Amino acid sequence: MKISKNNKNIKFNIKNKKNNINKKKKNVIKKSYNRFILNKNEINNNYKNILKQNFKKPLKFISKNIFINKKISVLDLSKKMSIKSKKVLKFMDKAGISGNVNDFLNQKDAILIIKKFGYKPVLNLLNDDFEKKILKERNINLNIKKKIRPPIVTIMGHVDHGKTSLIDYIRSTKIINKEFGGITQHIGSYHVNVNNKKITFIDTPGHAAFKLMRLRGAKITDIIVLVVSSDDGVMPQTIEVIKHAKLYNVPIIVAINKIDKCNNTTKIKNELSKYDIISEEWGGENIFVEISAKFGTGVKDLLNYILLQAEILELKVFYNCMAKGLVLESYINKGSGPVANILIKEGILYKGDVFISGVEYGKIRSIKNEYSLYINKAYPSMPVEISGLSGILSVGDEVLVIKNEKIAKEIINNRKNSLKNKKFNKYKRLNIDKMFSMVNDENISILNIILKVDVQGSLEIILNALKKISNNKVKINIVYSGVGNITKNDLDLSITSNAVIISFNIHIDNKIKFIIKNKNIIFYNYFVIYKLIDAVKILMSKLLKPLFYKNKIGVAEVKNIFNTSKSCIIAGCIIIEGIIKINSSIKIIRNRKKIFKGKLESLRHFKDNVQEVSSGLECGVGIKNFNDIKIGDILHIFEIIKK
Ligand code: GDP
């Protein structure tokens, strides 16, 4: 009974509410109809008034501030200035700035355009600057002294030459395994004690982590041990290691392995000398050690030589500062969430430290060493596992300890924002403009090239030819060269090092072609050497610094002088010949002598700010940093042309 009564009440309430809503709706419609009638009458009256009025053009140009970031698209800039993008593009064309509506302008070009249209450019604080400003706070106190840190060593070489065997031998004999039951945690790196000194080995025989770090430009390793098998000699990966080591200026110690099997040391020394790896006995700088990873022969010597090389390198870092590290691996660990294996590069890392890495941050909950033992702090060159991260870190990223969580979050938000912009630009063409930005202080442009060819013979010929055409205006920098097909690594290297890929006489497989197209990598494949060299010459010419020259466009005579309220002087001129444009350069001639050289600051025709005034017309001219203008002065007007 009770329920049905309630139901009735509910139904009644709903009905009431519906009626109310309908009434409200009707009222709203009625009101808006009345308003429409009223508006209609109003419009009629106003229309009559408008017919009576004369349209007046605003007397003053309203200049406003245009805020810009590091980069802005032509479209966005046009919108900000409320100027049609067509007009902006037209100006860009005249000024020699290439690009279409969706292209991004650099700050310099954007400023030029903004000023051209009479607005004031205001630079937003750049993302990078923002971070730099904050990171300054973690600057090292220079009163503290640097101390030697253990060397970080990577064992590399051709497949099957014995890298894993060597790592295993060192690990099994040198790690203080008795103390910890011999169990070492695989954390991508471990350190050994030799004569009370430590050596850190990066434990990545596959070099996957190393490759990634190398591509990111992070130099993690101090010394490379290049394993060359005595029975196999110098192989392609041996040469690849040498080239990459040279690229990053990492010293190489050659370990000639498997000497228990055969001894071809002299032959290997000979082969390696072609790649500028010359033993000390032969007058070079490289240490050669004969070893057997299987039986341990010579391994002790190798470790001593590593310490010797480290001493020469004087690997000194600050210990008493906020820690800095590099990510070797990162994954989700059951129970402790995302963890990362990192190598401390500087400072001491403490439990509880707040840090940032890539777009993640965290507060270190635990630090574990390579024996899976919890520790409270980690010293430079020590490999450790850390937990307490906001997410998985990227291999090769820097880990930076930061003062507090608030600052860490600010930096991460800032990084995430700039990443959004970068993502937008991710597949943007690696274009000449970008390469052009690599012009260094000495005004030399650098053309980075990755060269892949069919056989060793052509490699030498092409390298020689490229050396000859490299000059002091555009320098050719061979980022990498080698024999064989183009690999995914070459493409990654091309993107990270802003290099063009040039290949000779090789077949490009479809997958690679697809990536090249997709990522807009500049790529040329030739089958005739002189055509390849010509193509490089054309690229070089595009990197030449533009020439600017003056072109006289008009002459004006000063007829009157006006003092403005801002206490600057405006010269009332008549254009005798040609044209005058805003941003023109001028020479002032008085009594046939040049008395000033400078730039126009403002240009008016009557009361309007204008872009140009042509022959026979009057105009008001403001000159930058010059107030001594006199009646009778002659202005020679020039425009700067970029070629
Ligand atoms: P990696 O591919 O460079 O890591 O090479 P491995 O360490 O896997 O070694 C490849 C092969 O060479 C294995 O069968 C090893 O047992 C063997 N090997 C490694 N070092 C030596 C050595 O010093 N002497 C001999 N006789 N064989 C070795």
Side-chain angles (χ1 to χ4, degrees):
M1 270 302 278
K2 223 178 178 181
I3 293 168
S4 65
K5 207 178 174 183
N6 270 349
N7 272 349
K8 263 186 186 175
N9 277 343
I10 290 168
K11 273 183 188 170
F12 177 75
N13 279 342
I14 291 175
K15 213 177 170 184
N16 248 356
K17 270 184 187 167
K18 269 188 182 171
N19 282 341
N20 280 342
I21 290 170
N22 283 339
K23 264 184 196 169
K24 274 182 189 169
K25 265 188 189 171
K26 274 178 195 166
N27 278 340
V28 169
I29 292 169
K30 222 176 175 181
K31 271 185 190 169
S32 34
Y33 178 74
N34 283 342
R35 203 184 298 144
F36 172 70
I37 302 283
L38 230 169
N39 282 348
K40 212 174 164 186
N41 289 336
E42 261 179 7
I43 288 167
N44 281 337
N45 286 339
N46 285 345
Y47 181 66
K48 278 173 201 163
N49 283 339
I50 286 168
L51 284 181
K52 278 184 217 162
Q53 280 176 3
N54 281 327
F55 176 73
K56 274 187 187 163
K57 201 179 167 187
L59 290 178
K60 239 173 118 188
F61 167 81
I62 305 154
S63 173
K64 58 178 180 179
N65 291 342
I66 306 287
F67 290 85
I68 50 166
N69 285 323
K70 207 170 186 176
K71 280 184 174 178
I72 185 164
S73 74
V74 176
L75 189 68
D76 285 347
L77 184 61
S78 312
K79 275 184 194 166
K80 280 191 176 192
M81 297 192 297
S82 315
I83 285 173
K84 280 185 181 167
S85 46
K86 244 186 183 178
K87 248 184 160 180
V88 176
L89 286 173
K90 210 172 161 188
F91 167 71
M92 283 168 54
D93 207 27
K94 266 190 193 170
I97 303 168
S98 59
N100 59 42
V101 203
N102 293 318
D103 277 345
F104 278 75
L105 294 160
N106 62 31
Q107 224 170 41
K108 209 173 109 202
D109 290 340
I111 290 172
L112 186 81
I113 295 168
I114 293 166
K115 282 186 178 167
K116 148 84 191 172
F117 289 98
Y119 295 103
K120 199 176 159 207
V122 182
L123 311 181
N124 280 342
L125 192 57
L126 306 179
N127 286 333
D128 295 354
D129 291 349
F130 166 80
E131 192 167 325
K132 264 187 213 158
K133 210 174 135 200
I134 294 185
L135 288 182
K136 251 189 185 173
E137 291 189 34
R138 61 177 308 288
N139 256 356
I140 294 153
N141 172 8
L142 292 174
N143 291 327
I144 54 171
K145 273 193 179 163
K146 283 183 174 181
K147 282 202 273 180
I148 295 273
R149 65 163 171 82
I152 299 165
V153 180
T154 312
I155 294 174
M156 302 183 89
H158 195 73
V159 67
D160 273 350
H161 278 200
K163 301 177 292 290
T164 318
S165 307
L166 179 59
I167 287 172
D168 286 349
Y169 184 84
I170 297 171
R171 195 207 275 264
S172 63
T173 54
K174 282 289 164 191
I175 284 176
I176 347 140
N177 46 8
K178 280 153 216 140
E179 276 176 60
F180 309 107
I183 304 157
T184 57
Q185 171 90 328
H186 183 83
I187 63 169
S189 175
Y190 62 97
H191 71 270
V192 299
N193 273 334
V194 183
N195 308 333
N196 286 329
K197 287 181 180 163
K198 288 187 173 72
I199 303 174
T200 301
F201 282 97
I202 297 192
D203 190 4
T204 51
H207 308 317
F210 185 79
K211 258 182 195 165
L212 252 172
M213 285 183 267
R214 191 180 58 208
L215 290 175
R216 279 159 199 254
K219 187 182 146 186
I220 186 159
T221 189
D222 304 307
I223 298 166
I224 288 175
V225 171
L226 175 61
V227 179
V228 186
S229 169
S230 199
D231 60 352
D232 216 6
V234 173
M235 297 300 279
Q237 270 174 283
T238 319
I239 301 166
E240 199 178 326
V241 172
I242 296 171
K243 284 182 178 165
H244 284 298
K246 287 205 163 150
L247 186 66
Y248 290 100
N249 213 7
V250 183
I252 289 177
I253 295 178
V254 183
I256 299 178
N257 192 28
K258 306 193 189 179
I259 51 146
D260 57 286
K261 256 178 143 181
C262 57
N263 193 330
N264 289 323
T265 304
T266 318
K267 192 178 155 233
I268 292 170
K269 278 184 178 174
N270 247 325
E271 282 173 351
L272 286 176
S273 67
K274 285 184 206 155
Y275 303 96
D276 217 17
I277 300 292
I278 302 164
S279 77
E280 284 177 327
E281 300 104 75
W282 290 14
E285 286 178 352
N286 295 92
I287 297 167
F288 278 66
V289 197
E290 291 177 348
I291 61 159
S292 164
K294 195 170 182 179
F295 300 105
T297 327
V299 175
K300 209 171 160 191
D301 292 339
L302 175 67
L303 295 173
N304 281 324
Y305 279 125
I306 291 173
L307 287 174
L308 193 77
Q309 180 75 62
E311 248 174 63
I312 299 168
L313 292 174
E314 273 202 88
L315 304 163
K316 281 184 175 173
V317 291
F318 291 108
Y319 271 61
N320 285 322
C321 65
M322 287 195 225
K324 209 189 234 183
L326 270 177
V327 181
L328 296 173
E329 278 172 40
S330 185
Y331 46 88
I332 302 276
N333 202 350
K334 269 186 203 162
S336 39
V339 294
N341 298 336
I342 68 165
L343 199 58
I344 312 294
K345 292 287 282 184
E346 187 178 79
I348 302 171
L349 182 76
Y350 292 91
K351 205 177 137 182
D353 274 351
V354 173
F355 70 92
I356 53 165
S357 179
V359 287
E360 305 294 342
Y361 73 98
K363 189 169 181 178
I364 294 182
R365 205 166 49 223
S366 68
I367 309 176
K368 268 195 218 175
N369 66 11
E370 66 245 63
Y371 313 114
S372 253
L373 292 176
Y374 287 101
I375 50 175
N376 288 326
K377 53 186 173 181
Y379 296 93
S381 296
M382 241 179 108
V384 286
E385 183 195 278
I386 53 168
S387 73
L389 334 174
S390 62
I392 290 181
L393 310 185
S394 301
V395 175
D397 268 0
E398 203 168 45
V399 173
L400 274 181
V401 171
I402 296 291
K403 253 187 175 176
N404 59 47
E405 228 164 313
K406 192 180 157 238
I407 297 176
K409 276 183 190 165
E410 261 179 77
I411 296 179
I412 294 311
N413 281 341
N414 184 54
R415 283 186 181 180
K416 280 183 179 163
N417 280 341
S418 60
L419 201 73
K420 264 188 220 157
N421 289 340
K422 272 186 196 148
K423 263 188 192 158
F424 187 66
N425 275 329
K426 197 173 168 192
Y427 295 121
K428 251 194 88 139
R429 202 175 146 74
L430 221 176
N431 59 20
I432 292 290
D433 283 350
K434 195 170 169 196
M435 286 159 58
F436 189 70
S437 67
M438 290 185 295
V439 174
N440 67 17
D441 291 345
E442 295 143 23
N443 283 336
I444 302 170
S445 305
I446 294 167
L447 176 60
N448 284 336
I449 292 179
I450 293 171
L451 180 68
K452 292 301 283 277
V453 303
D454 55 346
V455 289
Q456 191 68 28
S458 17
L459 184 66
E460 276 159 29
I461 295 170
I462 296 170
L463 282 176
N464 266 334
L466 292 177
K467 219 182 198 177
K468 276 185 194 154
I469 59 169
S470 178
N471 58 53
N472 56 7
K473 288 207 171 80
V474 185
K475 237 183 183 173
I476 290 178
N477 175 36
I478 305 290
V479 175
Y480 178 74
S481 67
V483 173
N485 283 342
I486 293 170
T487 62
K488 176 93 183 12
N489 274 347
D490 297 328
L491 303 183
D492 287 343
L493 192 61
S494 127
I495 293 167
T496 49
S497 58
N498 270 334
V500 293
I501 301 184
I502 293 182
S503 66
F504 176 73
N505 223 0
I506 54 176
H507 171 75
I508 319 290
D509 89 50
N510 283 341
K511 258 191 202 160
I512 295 288
K513 273 186 195 161
F514 178 78
I515 302 173
I516 287 176
K517 208 174 157 205
N518 226 328
K519 298 207 170 177
N520 284 318
I521 292 169
I522 301 181
F523 163 73
Y524 298 102
N525 186 24
Y526 287 95
F527 295 90
V528 183
I529 290 183
Y530 80 83
K531 281 193 179 167
L532 183 151
I533 301 298
D534 279 352
V536 175
K537 279 184 186 166
I538 291 171
L539 273 177
M540 287 170 74
S541 70
K542 287 184 180 171
L543 286 179
L544 276 172
K545 284 214 83 187
L547 290 175
F548 293 95
Y549 64 90
K550 277 183 179 175
N551 180 32
K552 192 170 169 185
I553 53 170
V555 180
E557 188 183 342
V558 180
K559 290 282 184 196
N560 218 337
I561 305 288
F562 305 98
N563 277 313
T564 64
S565 52
K566 284 180 201 161
S567 78
C568 63
I569 288 179
I570 298 293
C573 300
I574 181 146
I575 310 297
I576 305 171
E577 179 187 314
I579 193 169
I580 187 165
K581 291 182 181 176
I582 187 96
N583 286 331
S584 300
S585 294
I586 50 144
K587 257 189 217 168
I588 304 176
I589 312 288
R590 188 179 294 164
N591 301 329
R592 294 194 181 163
K593 272 187 192 156
K594 184 182 91 188
I595 58 152
F596 182 77
K597 212 169 127 186
K599 274 201 125 191
L600 284 199
E601 195 164 44
S602 64
L603 181 64
R604 283 186 175 199
H605 182 55
F606 294 108
K607 286 189 170 174
D608 295 331
N609 277 314
V610 288
Q611 299 303 325
E612 54 184 58
V613 178
S614 39
S615 176
L617 296 177
E618 288 175 351
C619 60
V621 169
I623 298 160
K624 208 174 181 179
N625 302 327
F626 188 75
N627 268 346
D628 184 33
I629 194 89
K630 296 224 162 88
I631 294 174
D633 284 349
I634 302 289
L635 309 186
H636 286 201
I637 303 138
F638 301 88
E639 70 179 351
I640 307 288
I641 292 180
K642 181 175 160 189
K643 205 174 179 186

